Amino acid sequence: MTSRIIIAIDGYSSTGKSTFAKAIAKELGYVYIDTGAMYRAVALFALRGGCVSGDNAVDETALRRLLMDGSPVDISFRASGPGGGSETWLDGENVEKEIRTLEISRIVSHVAALPFVREYVDRRLREIGAGKGVVMDGRDIGTAVFPDAELKIFMTARPEVRAHRRYEEMSARGHSVSYEDILVNLSERDYIDTHRETAPLRMAEDAVLLDNSDMTVEDQLEWFRDLLKERNLCG
Ligand code: DC
């Protein structure tokens, strides 16, 4: 039986990373960590702290002061039911719904591009991952946060498929959004995430590519089980 490992899942926005990551965490009895939620919580913190102007520009100095010098912000995850999911808490408040709005999606890539924000989040993620037995999804888990992760998967899908999935997800949550706005937001975030200076989104050399445009969740799980067997991982 192989010991517990770190599984890093990176890829573009709305490629179904969290659905896939949650499903494999459940199958293996691992903890699932949605690292984008941590950036979203920092974006909400910045918004509430008055560090974001009307054109989504982030006041870096003010946010740095708020994040570093004030009483430390507390972002944590708490399990939510038996499905392997978790909810995000910010300073003692459940903000799971607030961090999923299009308003936060418009700010979050700008906030996530700031090196001191990444340092703050990376520190928290490394603490959480130290015990292994985790599946983390994000943009730089296999390249920057855990470059020695035993298994790295890079996810992609066609842009229309991704926009459609995000549209369905947001509508189901009761957000009123247009498909076109989502498509625009996705392509803007792809651009910022792949072009930022610190830890840009890219596929690690030792990652396995998963294009799930035409795959169901069950297809993806089958693919994953074959991969584990092939690599002789996780028993
Ligand atoms: O996965 P998501 O869409 O919830 O992520 C929100 C944003 O956070 C995304 O636009 C980029 C950023 N992010 C990041 O820079 N690094 C990560 N590890 C995870 C997310």
Side-chain angles (χ1 to χ4, degrees):
M1 170 103 176
T2 320
S3 56
R4 290 160 79 78
I5 63 170
I6 293 180
I7 302 179
I9 303 196
D10 291 305
Y12 294 96
S13 301
S14 299
T15 45
K17 294 189 296 296
S18 66
T19 306
F20 176 65
K22 237 180 261 174
I24 65 178
K26 190 173 173 206
E27 182 148 322
L28 299 174
Y30 277 23
V31 175
Y32 161 65
I33 305 292
D34 171 359
T35 70
M38 194 151 288
Y39 285 101
R40 286 173 178 273
V42 176
L44 180 64
F45 176 74
L47 185 70
R48 289 180 171 177
C51 306
V52 183
S53 53
D55 55 357
N56 297 326
V58 181
D59 181 339
E60 203 178 321
T61 315
L63 180 58
R64 187 196 296 268
R65 201 179 309 124
L66 210 60
L67 203 58
M68 303 287 165
D69 302 344
S71 53
V73 59
D74 175 30
I75 299 171
S76 58
F77 299 112
R78 299 188 195 172
S80 67
S86 69
E87 289 180 329
T88 312
W89 288 64
L90 171 65
D91 287 333
E93 177 192 348
N94 183 340
V95 292
E96 190 55 35
K97 187 148 193 258
E98 287 81 353
I99 62 169
R100 306 288 168 191
T101 61
L102 197 51
E103 186 182 23
I104 292 298
S105 295
R106 288 195 176 110
I107 304 166
V108 66
S109 283
H110 300 282
V111 170
L114 301 171
F116 65 89
V117 171
R118 303 204 71 81
E119 265 169 45
Y120 167 84
V121 172
D122 285 2
R123 206 177 327 118
R124 288 285 290 119
L125 296 179
R126 290 192 185 114
E127 282 165 14
I128 296 171
K132 303 250 176 163
V134 292
V135 183
M136 277 196 191
D137 80 359
R139 304 294 187 291
D140 64 340
I141 307 305
T143 53
V145 183
F146 288 110
D148 296 330
E150 290 85 350
L151 181 60
K152 302 177 186 178
I153 296 170
F154 190 88
M155 291 179 66
T156 188
R158 289 190 298 275
E160 321 78 67
V161 174
R162 293 160 51 202
H164 183 72
R165 284 181 186 153
R166 179 56 63 119
Y167 175 79
E168 295 283 314
E169 188 185 301
M170 292 191 73
S171 303
R173 284 204 182 107
H175 297 290
S176 111
V177 282
S178 84
Y179 171 85
E180 286 72 24
D181 284 350
I182 288 177
L183 194 58
V184 168
N185 175 252
L186 284 185
S187 74
E188 281 172 2
R189 283 203 287 149
D190 284 354
Y191 185 86
I192 301 173
D193 293 346
T194 50
H195 286 77
R196 70 176 172 232
E197 270 183 36
T198 311
L201 170 64
R202 64 175 178 82
M203 183 168 151
E205 274 169 23
D206 51 350
V208 191
L209 183 69
L210 171 61
D211 180 335
N212 66 9
S213 302
D214 301 306
M215 291 170 90
T216 63
V217 176
E218 193 44 50
D219 292 340
Q220 294 171 63
L221 276 173
E222 279 301 314
W223 175 89
F224 177 72
R225 289 177 194 125
D226 289 346
L227 182 67
L228 286 186
K229 264 190 228 136
E230 210 176 275
R231 304 244 173 146
N232 200 18
L233 286 167
C234 304

